[in-house]
Amino acid sequence: MAEAASSLLVLRDVCLRFGGLQALMDISLHVPAGLWSALIGPNGAGKTSMLNVICGLYAPQAGDVLLEGRSLYGVPAYERAVLGLARTFQTVQLVQEMNVLDNLLLGLHTQGRVGVFGHLLRSSASRREERKMQEKGLELLARFSLETLWSRPVLELSLWQRKLLELSRAVAGDPKLLLLDEPMGGLTMAERESMALLLQDLRGQGMSMIMVEHDMDMVMAHTDHVLVLHHGRLLAQGPPREIQADPQVISAYLGE
Amino acid sequence: MSAGRTAAARPWRRLLPYAILATAAALTPFAVTDTYLLSLGSLIGLFALAVTGLNLLIGMAGQVSLGQAAFFGLGAYASGILTVHHGLPVGLAIAAALTLTGLVALVLAAPTLKLEGHNLVMATLGLNMIFTIVCIQWESMTGGSSGLFGIPAMSLAGVNLSSDRNFFYLVWGVLLAVLWLCSNLLRTRPGRALRSLHQGDLLPVSLGIPVVQYKIALFVAAALLAALAGCLYAHYLQFISPHSFDMFVSLQLVTMTAVGGLGNLWGGVFGAAFLLLLPEWLHAVPDVMPLLHGLILMIVLMFCPRGLLPALKNMARKIWRGHG
Ligand SMILES: Nc1ncnc2c1ncn2[C@@H]1O[C@H](COP(=O)(O)OP(=O)(O)OP(=O)(O)O)[C@@H](O)[C@H]1O
Ligand SMILES: [Mg+2]
C-alpha cells in the first residue's frame, strides 16, 4: 500500500474490548504527516481509548499500530514516547507536588543522556545537562507565556494555565505525533480561541496532531482532516467540509 | 533570562542544612560524654539511614513496605555470619552482605511491586515474619533466639571504628553522604521521574519513564540502605538477635517515615530522632513501645498525613505570621 508507506500513523483492523464491551471495532486509518486531524464522536464513542491504543496504554486484542511504517506491536508505552509520541489527557495530568518548571521538564525526560550515577554524584556532566534542560524549559514556558510562573506549585494554576503547561510538556520533546485529548474542554470561549491559535502555530511548524474535540466549530474552522468515531466504529473520515455534509455523520452525531 | 539564574542559584542554601548537621554531629561527642546517649545518637543515625531508603520507596513510589527490618536484618546477619563462621574480613563481609541483599531484593521486587495497598503491606509483613522465623530456627548459623555473638569490630588503618565515638562519626558521615546523594538525585532528571511515579502509571509511562524499572530500582535501593545500616549495626554492637529485626522494627521504621513526612529526606532524620528519643523522655517500658508507635502512626496519618514535621513547620509559620 503506497498510502501506508507515506503515512505517519497507520491503524490496521484495531479491535479493543473491555470484557463484553467493544470499545473499538476494526479501526483502520492512515494519518499523513504534517496534518492537524480531529477525532470526533459522541461520549463513549472510543476516542480516548483510541489515543490510549496509539500511545500504548491499552493493548488491542487484534490489529496493529504503525508509526512511520514501523509496527508498534509489543512496544511498551514508555518506548513509544522515545519513538516520538506525546500526549495530553482529558483531565489534565500534572504532578501536584512539583512546581511548574519541574512539571515541564518531565516532558524532556527522554532527552537526558547522563545516567543515574552521574546525577547521584552531581558530576559536571549532570550539572551541565540540568542547566541546559532548565534553560530549554524556561524557553518553552516563555513560548506559552508561563515563564513568570515557573517556580509556582501547579496547584496554584488556573485550568487554562494547567492546559497550557500540559501542552508545553507534550511538545517539549519535539514529538513526531501529538495526541491531544480535548485540549479545549472546560475552557472559556476566549481561551478556546487562544488554544486554537497556539495549535495552529504548532501545525505551522510542521507538528502532526490528532485532537479529540467536541467543539465542532473549532474542528471545522481549524483542522485539516476529521475522523468520526461512533460506537467504536470509524464512521467516516475526510476533510472537514465533506464530513460536515456527510448524512451518516449528521444523523449520528451532528444532528443530535 | 533572570528566572534561569534564580532556578540554579543559591547553592549555599542547599549546603546549609548539611553544614549545620555536620557541625552538630562533629560536636556531639564532645558535649555528650555519657556513652549510652552517644550510642543512642549512633542508633538514630542508623535508623535514619534505613528510613531514608523507605522514605524514597513510600514517598516516591507510594509502596508501603512493612518488611524493611528484614533487609536491615539480612545485612546484619549476612555480614555477621560471614565474619563469625567463615572468617571473612569485615570490609569484604559487608560488601558480600550488601550484594546478597541487593540480589534478594531484586528477586523479590517484581512480584512484590505487582501488589498494591493492603496486599503489599501484608506481603512485606509476611516477608519479615519469615525472616524472623529463619533467624530463630537456623540455629547453627544464626545462633537462634539467643543471637549471634562475637561479631568482630570494624577498623580502618588501625583505627577502631566500632568505638562509641568513632562509630558515631562513621554513622553520621555515611548518613550525610547518603542524604547528599539522594538529594542530588531528587533534584535532577531521574528524581523528577521518581516524583511522578505515585501519580499512577499513565502519566509517567506516556512521558517515556519506564515505571517498572524505576520502582524495582527504588525497592532495591531502599533494601540496600537498610542492609547497610544493618551491617554497621552488627559490627558496632558485635551481637545481634532476631528480636532486633522483627516486624515491630519495621513498624517503627514506617512510623519514623510518616512522622518526618513522606518524600522529605530531612524529615526522616527527624522522625528517627523523635521516635528513638521519645522513650528516653517518657521513661517508658520497652514493652509498650510498639503500642506507642502504632498510636503515633495512627495519629500522624489521621491528623497530619503529610507528616508531623511538615505540620509543625506549617504551624510555626502561621504563628510567625500572626506575630509579624
Ligand atoms: N479502562 C477501561 N475499562 C473498561 N471500560 C472502559 C475503559 N476505558 C474506556 N472504557 C469504555 O470504553 C468506551 C469508550 O470510552 P472512551 O473513554 O474511549 O470514550 P470517549 O469517546 O473518549 O468518550 P468521552 O467523550 O466521554 O471522553 C466507554 O464505554 C467506556 O466506558
Ligand atoms: Mg474521552
Side-chain angles (χ1 to χ4, degrees):
Chain A
M1 282 193 287
E3 203 184 347
S6 67
S7 291
L8 176 64
L9 181 82
V10 175
L11 265 65
R12 262 191 212 145
D13 307 319
V14 167
C15 291
L16 179 71
R17 278 186 300 275
F18 295 110
L21 181 94
Q22 188 91 33
L24 295 174
M25 262 177 277
D26 293 323
I27 305 280
S28 295
L29 53 86
H30 306 275
V31 177
L35 290 195
W36 180 0
S37 311
L39 180 57
I40 66 171
N43 289 108
K47 306 180 295 293
T48 300
S49 300
M50 195 166 118
L51 294 195
N52 285 341
V53 165
I54 295 171
C55 72
L57 295 180
Y58 291 165
Q61 277 79 17
D64 199 3
V65 177
L66 294 89
L67 185 69
E68 293 185 313
R70 180 193 158 171
S71 167
L72 296 182
Y73 183 79
V75 178
Y78 69 88
E79 276 178 27
R80 298 188 190 196
V82 180
L83 293 177
L85 286 177
R87 70 171 293 175
T88 66
F89 294 85
Q90 193 164 346
T91 45
V92 180
Q93 296 285 321
L94 299 170
V95 182
Q96 304 295 339
E97 295 79 10
M98 296 195 336
N99 70 19
V100 169
L101 181 59
D102 280 349
N103 265 286
L104 177 93
L105 292 179
L106 278 174
L108 291 169
H109 181 82
T110 56
Q111 315 255 306
R113 292 294 163 266
V114 176
V116 168
F117 287 100
H119 286 303
L120 264 177
L121 296 169
R122 206 171 143 68
S123 67
S124 58
S126 155
R127 275 174 287 166
R128 209 175 319 121
E129 184 176 281
E130 278 298 309
R131 207 177 323 114
K132 265 170 58 189
M133 275 202 182
Q134 299 220 341
E135 275 165 24
K136 190 165 178 200
L138 288 164
E139 266 168 40
L140 273 155
L141 287 179
R143 236 173 93 191
F144 292 88
S145 319
L146 289 170
E147 77 274 23
T148 55
L149 299 171
W150 70 270
S151 63
R152 294 294 180 77
V154 291
L155 280 170
E156 292 178 11
L157 301 187
S158 66
L159 179 65
W160 163 241
Q161 290 166 334
R162 287 157 175 264
K163 290 239 173 200
L164 273 186
L165 179 55
E166 203 189 33
L167 178 65
S168 56
R169 183 184 65 199
V171 301
D174 236 334
K176 290 181 181 135
L177 177 61
L178 184 57
L179 307 170
L180 304 162
D181 203 345
E182 303 196 18
M184 303 181 190
L187 298 180
T188 66
M189 205 50 227
E191 290 164 349
R192 284 162 180 263
E193 292 290 349
S194 309
M195 180 60 83
L197 288 179
L198 280 172
L199 296 178
Q200 214 163 28
D201 274 355
L202 283 173
R203 182 186 166 264
Q205 290 154 24
M207 180 80 72
S208 311
M209 298 182 276
I210 300 180
M211 171 180 81
V212 174
E213 189 47 63
H214 281 296
D215 185 333
M216 293 314 297
D217 295 335
M218 281 293 165
V219 168
M220 294 306 159
H222 295 286
T223 61
D224 309 303
H225 190 75
V226 181
L227 305 159
V228 188
L229 272 185
H230 190 59
H231 292 315
R233 288 186 187 280
L234 190 63
L235 196 64
Q237 59 173 323
R241 249 175 294 110
E242 273 177 33
I243 293 297
Q244 216 164 7
D246 190 313
Q248 253 189 311
V249 176
I250 293 172
S251 71
Y253 184 56
L254 300 178
E256 278 184 301
Chain B
M1 187 175 292
S2 69
R5 248 178 280 124
T6 340
R10 290 182 293 186
W12 56 269
R13 273 193 71 168
R14 240 199 107 200
L15 287 173
L16 199 64
Y18 295 93
I20 292 172
L21 209 57
T23 316
L27 295 178
T28 303
F30 295 98
V32 180
T33 42
D34 181 19
T35 53
Y36 171 72
L37 284 183
L38 196 60
S39 67
L40 189 62
S42 301
L43 203 61
I44 291 175
L46 283 178
F47 270 81
L49 201 57
V51 166
T52 302
L54 191 59
N55 204 346
L56 293 178
L57 188 65
I58 303 180
M60 302 298 137
Q63 309 274 4
V64 179
S65 162
L66 260 182
Q68 217 55 16
F71 293 118
F72 187 31
L74 189 57
Y77 268 101
S79 189
I81 289 170
L82 287 172
T83 45
V84 171
H85 293 305
H86 301 281
L88 244 62
V90 176
L92 205 60
I94 291 180
L98 290 180
T99 311
L100 176 72
T101 310
L103 290 175
V104 170
L106 195 63
V107 170
L108 291 177
T112 308
L113 294 178
K114 284 219 181 80
L115 306 171
E116 273 169 10
H118 314 306
N119 291 337
L120 177 68
V121 171
M122 295 312 284
T124 50
L125 192 67
L127 214 68
N128 210 143
M129 288 163 85
I130 292 170
F131 177 77
T132 305
I133 291 169
V134 170
C135 287
I136 293 174
Q137 296 300 325
W138 198 11
E139 268 197 73
S140 58
M141 272 296 154
T142 63
S145 47
S146 47
L148 184 66
F149 293 85
I151 301 171
M154 286 176 287
S155 64
L156 188 70
V159 179
N160 178 9
L161 295 177
S162 297
S163 75
D164 288 317
R165 179 183 287 203
N166 290 347
F167 187 72
F168 181 87
Y169 284 138
L170 174 70
V171 168
W172 282 85
V174 168
L175 175 63
L176 282 173
V178 165
L179 287 173
W180 169 251
L181 295 177
C182 290
S183 90
N184 283 344
L185 192 71
L186 290 186
R187 294 158 48 84
T188 50
R189 186 177 66 99
R192 287 188 291 271
L194 288 176
R195 284 188 282 162
S196 76
L197 290 186
H198 66 109
Q199 193 87 359
D201 290 357
L202 293 194
L203 174 65
V205 148
S206 77
L207 292 166
I209 295 164
V211 169
V212 176
Q213 281 96 315
Y214 268 78
K215 283 188 176 169
I216 288 177
L218 264 185
F219 190 82
V220 172
L224 282 176
L225 284 176
L228 177 61
C231 293
L232 297 176
Y233 178 88
H235 294 286
Y236 171 57
L237 289 185
Q238 301 173 23
F239 158 74
I240 47 178
S241 70
H243 168 69
S244 308
F245 313 107
D246 61 19
M247 58 186 225
F248 292 111
V249 178
S250 284
L251 174 68
Q252 198 175 0
L253 287 168
V254 171
T255 311
M256 288 170 174
T257 309
V259 164
L262 299 183
N264 177 351
L265 290 176
W266 295 106
V269 182
F270 170 84
F274 181 80
L275 258 81
L276 286 174
L277 290 175
L278 200 63
E280 302 302 316
W281 290 327
L282 298 180
H283 300 285
V285 222
D287 289 346
V288 301
M289 281 323 286
L291 191 72
L292 199 58
H293 288 153
L295 205 64
I296 293 174
L297 184 62
M298 245 171 64
I299 292 173
V300 167
L301 292 183
M302 275 163 63
F303 296 106
C304 33
R306 297 174 146 257
L308 191 60
L309 185 64
L312 288 176
K313 256 167 105 184
N314 246 340
M315 211 152 74
R317 202 172 293 146
K318 268 186 201 150
I319 293 172
W320 178 255
R321 284 216 189 112
H323 283 286

